[in-house]
Amino acid sequence: MLNEKQKLMQIINLGLEVAQVKDIDLLLERILTEARHFVNADAGSIYIKEDHKLMFSYTQNETLRQKLPAGRKLIYSTFSIPINDKSIAGYVALTGKTLNIENVYKLPEDVSYSFDKRYDEVSEYRTQSMLAFPLKTHRGDVIGVLQLINAQDKNKNIKPFNKEDEPLIMHFANNAAMAVERALMTRAIILRMIRMAELRDPKETGAHVNRVASYSVEIYEAWALKRGISQKEIDKNKDVLRMAAMLHDVGKVAISDVILKKPAKLDMNEIEVMKQHTYLGARLFSDKYSDFDEAASQVALNHHERWDGNGYPGYIDPITVQPISDCRTEKGAVCGKKGEEIPLFGRIVAVADVYDALCSRRAYKEPWDESRILENLHEERGKQFDPEMIDAFFLSLDVIRSAAERYPDK
Ligand code: C2E
Ligand code: SIN
Ligand code: SIN
Ligand code: FE
Ligand code: FE
């Protein structure tokens, strides 16, 4: 257990650390991890307000996690609940008040809210004590709700949450809310960048890029854990990879609608024009102000390279479009990058992008059955795709499927 001074120090450090994380999904993960450790809670969930509802956005559960095979993650589905006084989270969002509940199965008679037992039933978990508090911005707007579940003593017995921890937790919640607000804004700006291009129906485009980003992060993490890369390094890379992956096709802004939206197969010339979206995208980040620019440029340029060297655009300078290698194919074109010559993030997003493209309806094709898609990915292991990334993809397939459900085409 932490003493008061340690707790304060932890909160100060947390403010700093949380401020550095820019991506919303990773931020929620970090906030919940830190908040749970702070009060020794076995589980917890975060709801984020969206369109006057609360979206169940992220959850952790240590007891359930320990029952999973090593390296597997807890699968959860997103759902929404109304903001009213009937549910615990709804009440907190509505009133902006904190609820410290000793036992959710023994609520006082005079409260309007009740605990929804379905949460426990589907997960075969027993919720008992709960601390639910609002994520409030400095303007006083509630942007979400954080629920901490089952505080534990040293012997892992469940106990109520300490009354004395509430002010510190509120302080923490305020920092977290600010960071969440900023991260939501960053993501909204990226999505707006993509929408401005009017690539397709705005909603569809947003869902595709969010999915490709989620799959990429899962593939990377599975691969990196297998390679023994430290969690700290992994977290840092996940953050930049997610944003870079969202922008993998941003170069399509420069491709004419006639080609982009053609409801049929492209001819040879159109394919050549289409290929430009790789280096045109990379150019947007050529100033390389940050790790993020570096990653975004890497992903845009390399997500259509192939492991066997037959991808595009190959060894060219994205600015001048001049070859940067003497290597030529039989047809005289500049060689594609091959194997590990292709930067890491490019090899990852290649798998994520094709998986999502094949799952989706396009102006020019129907979605494929999943079995056919998986067969195709397996078949292309070591040909189109890095074999290690295909292995990582299959390792994380169940998490990838649940990520897909979070971002449906509207
Ligand atoms: P996208 O639709 O996001 O597809 C990304 C990648 O997924 C494609 O890269 C390809 O590797 C894979 N893919 C998509 N659909 C199929 C398919 O039906 N069969 C197979 N085997 N693979 C598929 P690619 O081919 O370099 O295309 C890049 C982008 O060019 C596509 O992005 C899409 O925007 C456009 N595009 C490609 N082919 C066509 C087409 O025939 N008609 C139209 N209108 N656009 C196309
Ligand atoms: C609620 O009733 O607010 C949800 C309970 C839970 O998430 O465990
Ligand atoms: C979309 O299909 O929704 C976006 C463009 C693409 O990546 O294919
Ligand atoms: Fe692309
Ligand atoms: Fe794509």
Side-chain angles (χ1 to χ4, degrees):
M1 300 292 115
L2 304 169
N3 65 34
E4 287 310 305
K5 185 163 175 233
Q6 284 171 321
K7 281 185 178 176
L8 270 171
M9 285 311 295
Q10 204 180 355
I11 278 182
I12 291 162
N13 285 335
L14 205 84
L16 291 175
E17 209 182 301
V18 160
Q20 285 166 7
V21 181
K22 290 168 249 75
D23 182 76
I24 182 72
D25 288 30
L26 297 164
L27 184 62
L28 298 183
E29 182 177 332
R30 188 77 53 89
I31 288 172
L32 196 51
T33 304
E34 298 294 340
R36 276 181 44 232
H37 287 168
F38 187 58
V39 291
N40 212 32
D42 187 41
S45 308
I46 301 184
Y47 295 79
I48 296 294
K49 195 165 151 185
E50 209 176 283
D51 303 331
H52 308 289
K53 280 181 292 196
L54 282 179
M55 298 295 298
F56 182 83
S57 302
Y58 186 68
T59 191
Q60 290 176 351
N61 188 309
E62 185 56 24
T63 298
L64 295 180
R65 195 188 65 79
Q66 283 180 3
K67 291 186 192 160
L68 295 171
R72 287 305 172 92
K73 288 190 177 176
L74 195 65
I75 305 289
Y76 63 95
S77 49
T78 313
F79 55 87
S80 69
I81 58 172
I83 298 179
N84 60 29
D85 63 3
K86 301 285 180 266
S87 69
I88 295 169
Y91 178 89
V92 171
L94 184 72
T95 61
K97 288 183 186 149
T98 298
L99 289 177
N100 188 343
I101 300 169
E102 240 185 89
N103 187 339
V104 293
Y105 285 88
K106 293 182 188 153
L107 290 172
E109 294 286 336
D110 58 348
V111 299
S112 60
Y113 46 84
S114 55
F115 174 68
D116 189 341
K117 296 179 185 62
R118 279 177 305 178
Y119 296 101
D120 281 2
E121 281 159 15
V122 293
S123 56
E124 294 178 25
Y125 183 74
R126 180 74 177 182
T127 301
Q128 192 172 316
S129 60
M130 186 186 287
L131 182 64
F133 51 91
L135 295 173
K136 256 191 236 175
T137 66
H138 60 282
R139 291 187 309 279
D141 300 334
V142 176
I143 59 166
V145 174
L146 211 161
Q147 284 184 331
L148 297 172
I149 293 165
N150 289 353
Q152 294 177 325
D153 65 18
K154 286 193 201 72
N155 303 316
K156 301 215 163 206
N157 297 313
I158 297 169
K159 58 171 191 120
F161 286 89
N162 278 340
K163 194 98 192 96
E164 305 82 75
D165 282 343
E166 284 182 34
L168 284 178
I169 273 283
M170 282 316 292
H171 183 82
F172 167 78
N174 291 340
N175 285 342
M178 263 193 303
V180 168
E181 199 182 27
R182 235 183 290 127
L184 287 172
M185 226 176 332
T186 307
R187 180 170 290 191
I189 289 169
I190 292 176
L191 287 175
R192 225 169 280 145
M193 230 169 126
I194 292 158
R195 265 176 219 156
M196 263 196 313
E198 284 184 342
L199 284 184
R200 304 233 166 110
D201 179 274
K203 289 172 195 150
E204 184 197 328
T205 310
H208 170 66
V209 300
N210 275 312
R211 287 193 304 261
V212 171
S214 295
Y215 307 159
S216 299
V217 167
E218 296 303 340
I219 293 168
Y220 167 71
E221 189 165 29
W223 173 86
L225 287 173
K226 231 173 152 181
R227 282 254 174 145
I229 294 170
S230 77
Q231 193 64 48
K232 200 168 173 175
E233 177 75 14
I234 292 177
D235 288 344
K236 192 179 119 238
N237 282 327
K238 273 162 73 175
D239 195 36
V240 289
L241 173 57
R242 179 182 288 276
M243 287 189 279
M246 285 180 83
L247 291 163
H248 71 278
D249 272 339
V250 73
K252 285 182 180 173
V253 301
I255 307 296
S256 91
D257 274 6
V258 182
I259 296 178
L260 199 60
K261 297 184 181 172
K262 181 177 176 180
K265 288 271 160 218
L266 302 179
D267 67 30
M268 289 246 294
N269 291 328
E270 290 165 337
I271 288 173
E272 286 313 307
V273 175
M274 194 66 221
K275 287 181 178 177
Q276 298 170 358
H277 81 278
T278 49
Y279 56 81
L280 294 177
R283 277 185 203 170
L284 293 175
F285 311 102
S286 58
D287 287 340
K288 312 259 168 73
Y289 287 117
S290 63
D291 288 355
F292 164 68
D293 293 290
E294 174 61 44
S297 160
Q298 203 184 90
V299 165
L301 189 62
N302 296 293
H303 72 281
H304 288 295
E305 296 290 354
R306 291 175 52 113
W307 185 255
D308 62 14
N310 295 318
Y312 66 91
Y315 281 102
I316 56 144
D317 177 327
I319 310 280
T320 62
V321 202
Q322 293 305 304
I324 49 171
S325 151
D326 293 330
C327 175
R328 292 292 177 277
T329 65
E330 281 167 23
K331 289 179 184 161
V334 64
C335 293
K337 294 175 193 166
K338 197 173 184 168
E340 293 191 359
E341 294 165 10
I342 307 164
L344 175 68
F345 288 174
R347 274 145 45 206
I348 294 170
V349 175
V351 178
D353 183 36
V354 172
Y355 174 69
D356 197 60
L358 297 178
C359 287
S360 307
R361 175 168 287 107
R362 292 278 194 258
Y364 61 96
K365 63 165 265 295
E366 287 301 307
W368 291 16
D369 288 341
E370 196 192 50
S371 59
R372 184 172 165 212
I373 299 172
L374 299 184
E375 243 169 69
N376 177 269
L377 292 181
H378 192 73
E379 168 64 24
E380 294 292 337
R381 185 182 181 279
K383 297 179 194 162
Q384 184 171 2
F385 305 116
D386 179 346
E388 288 188 32
M389 295 312 162
I390 292 295
D391 296 346
F393 170 88
F394 280 103
L395 266 180
S396 29
L397 186 55
D398 44 3
V399 195
I400 286 175
R401 286 192 190 116
S402 83
E405 285 171 23
R406 227 169 302 146
Y407 301 109
D409 288 318
K410 299 244 170 81

